[in-house]
Amino acid sequence: MSTLYTLVAPCFFGTESTLHFEIKRLGAQNIQVTDGRIAFQGGAELIAAANLNLRTAERVLLQLATYRALTFDELFDGCYAIPWEELLPADAAFPVKGSSLSSQLSSVPACQSIIKKAIVKRLLAGHKTSALPETGDVYKVRFSLRKDTVEIYLDTSGDGLHKRGYRRNATLAPIKETLAAAIADLGRVRRDSLVQDPFCGSGTLVIEAAQKALNLAPGLRRRFAAEHFSFVPPEAWAQQRQKALEEVRKDAAFEGVGYDIDPAAVALANANAKLAGVGERCRFEVADVKDFAPAQNATVLTNPPYGERLGDASEAAALARTLGQVWQHSPAQGLYAITADGDFEQHFGKKAARRRKIYNGMIPCQLYMYFEQPKR
């Protein structure tokens, strides 16, 4: 009987429904959705599948314990009870990171050192050794204290999952790949979609839409921390990589086109698309938004420059106004714009058919969705 692991995937607030659907598709059990995270269960092969395939998760954490702690003794005992010697080899390096919110134990450095102490004591006893050199593979330990409830995890991802491996560097204030993937999902990108973006920056929205349409697993071009975890067999990774490769839809008729006024951004976007394996499906060109004419069958996904990216609210308003005029002149199949500009509809000149609150990191944004609503 294979071990059933409890996994937790954090995500941007507002993208939970998309991530829930992705996790369900992987065949996970006991899925539980809460704000900004989804918990689910499965075997070692699901650790590999989740890291390779999830587009909108920030990382995949393996939950080892959850318990209440009002004192450092309780924090220590709960952590010591975890069978660390079954998870970590004697030479493992195990840095500890975490956070505390609305809890008695509010000092993060103090909690870090107590948890580290508990793991050390347990490993010394469990491995019957007197030294832990920490010279081997890295097992990142994460903890979270919320209202006196402790959760202890192993990070199976390593680098955040938004690091797909294709974006070498980015233009100013880029949109994260995981958020772009959620917008492509909310924008109903299909295998035969034409996606256009008049403010493409380094190309992330168009590239993520292309990977979704082609069913190209976002993790195929990178490595993960759990690939060297002793309890996740190498064949689990090999099988899941093979499965992901077999599920790529090479016959999808997707096309993506992005425009930006900055030639450096356009060059970067074209390079990123090649690295992402979608260079033949996407092209990026230098153009001003006032010359943008969306195709009738296009889905427009865009993140209009605002705030930090522009520094000037009046300039942002002018760009949103221009985009609105373009849209009125040639409305496409749908337009999905994410922005922190609370007056976007006013500037754009039309109320959105639907809106959804999404956080871009710590910045509250809205996704404004324009499409012809079906006649009742």
Side-chain angles (χ1 to χ4, degrees):
M1 184 64 188
S2 75
T3 311
L4 198 64
Y5 296 104
T6 297
L7 302 169
V8 172
C11 62
F12 281 111
F13 287 105
T15 66
E16 295 88 352
S17 58
T18 299
L19 180 56
H20 178 235
F21 179 72
E22 289 189 81
I23 290 170
K24 211 166 148 183
R25 260 185 61 187
L26 293 179
Q29 305 169 37
N30 308 326
I31 303 173
Q32 289 179 311
V33 184
T34 46
D35 282 350
R37 55 177 261 172
I38 295 183
F40 54 104
Q41 290 183 314
E45 67 290 342
L46 189 62
I47 294 176
N51 276 296
L52 283 162
N53 293 291
L54 295 180
R55 295 180 196 284
T56 54
E58 289 307 301
R59 55 183 66 249
V60 178
L61 302 169
L62 169 58
Q63 192 174 64
L64 302 179
T66 172
Y67 58 97
R68 280 186 62 75
L70 297 167
T71 65
F72 286 128
D73 283 350
E74 289 172 340
L75 180 65
F76 181 95
D77 293 345
C79 183
Y80 185 82
I82 298 166
W84 291 102
E85 68 282 1
E86 292 170 19
L87 302 163
L88 274 59
D91 68 345
F94 49 101
V96 176
K97 274 177 84 167
S99 60
S100 173
L101 201 74
S102 321
S103 295
Q104 289 282 311
L105 306 175
S106 58
S107 162
V108 172
C111 293
Q112 255 169 322
S113 96
I114 298 284
I115 287 169
K116 182 87 178 181
K117 220 175 268 176
I119 302 170
V120 167
K121 204 165 175 190
R122 176 85 196 214
L123 285 175
L124 289 173
H127 285 304
K128 298 182 175 54
T129 180
S130 58
L132 300 169
E134 292 208 44
T135 50
D137 288 323
V138 179
Y139 289 71
K140 278 188 192 162
V141 178
R142 290 179 180 262
F143 68 89
S144 133
L145 265 150
R146 296 278 178 279
K147 296 182 181 164
D148 303 316
T149 296
V150 186
E151 293 183 323
I152 295 185
Y153 306 104
L154 271 183
D155 182 349
T156 72
S157 301
D159 280 341
L161 293 183
H162 70 280
K163 295 196 173 167
R164 317 281 209 221
Y166 67 74
R167 200 157 82 176
R168 286 292 172 263
N169 45 21
T171 53
L172 195 62
I175 191 164
K176 252 188 177 179
E177 293 84 341
T178 40
L179 183 55
I183 292 165
D185 184 70
L186 294 166
R188 312 227 163 150
V189 169
R190 300 281 181 262
R191 57 201 307 182
D192 58 352
S193 295
L194 163 60
V195 167
Q196 295 181 315
D197 180 357
F199 304 106
C200 71
S202 48
T204 312
L205 275 162
V206 175
I207 291 168
E208 289 295 326
Q211 288 201 334
K212 176 180 161 50
L214 296 169
N215 201 34
L216 197 57
L220 275 173
R221 285 157 194 267
R222 58 162 286 180
R223 294 277 161 205
F224 303 95
E227 288 188 60
H228 58 243
F229 285 8
S230 48
F231 55 91
V232 184
E235 51 273 21
W237 290 98
Q239 281 162 3
Q240 292 302 327
R241 276 184 193 277
Q242 192 49 42
K243 188 168 183 277
L245 283 167
E246 285 164 9
E247 286 174 358
V248 177
R249 303 186 192 128
K250 293 200 175 80
D251 59 343
F254 176 88
E255 192 191 339
V257 192
Y259 306 95
D260 203 284
I261 200 161
D262 177 6
V266 168
L268 189 57
N270 278 311
N272 286 344
K274 272 198 191 71
L275 283 171
V278 292
E280 290 174 8
R281 304 309 184 99
C282 304
R283 66 176 201 279
F284 299 93
E285 297 167 6
V286 178
D288 191 314
V289 64
K290 67 178 177 0
D291 304 319
F292 176 54
Q296 206 179 346
N297 62 336
T299 299
V300 179
L301 305 180
T302 194
N303 175 25
Y306 179 78
E308 291 104 86
R309 292 172 69 198
L310 264 188
D312 182 1
S314 62
E315 204 180 327
L319 287 175
R321 203 169 293 122
T322 305
L323 185 62
Q325 287 159 357
V326 160
W327 179 252
Q328 267 173 324
H329 192 256
S330 42
Q333 201 168 290
L335 181 143
Y336 300 78
I338 184 167
T339 176
D341 177 5
D343 298 323
F344 178 81
E345 288 170 314
Q346 214 177 319
H347 302 145
F348 188 82
K350 188 175 164 67
K351 268 191 98 57
R354 280 179 62 201
R355 286 163 39 168
R356 179 184 283 240
K357 194 171 190 175
I358 292 182
Y359 276 78
N360 182 3
M362 300 312 284
I363 307 165
C365 295
Q366 293 271 3
L367 180 65
Y368 295 92
M369 312 186 220
Y370 293 88
F371 47 81
E372 283 306 313
Q373 286 177 303
K375 304 262 185 297
R376 287 260 174 240

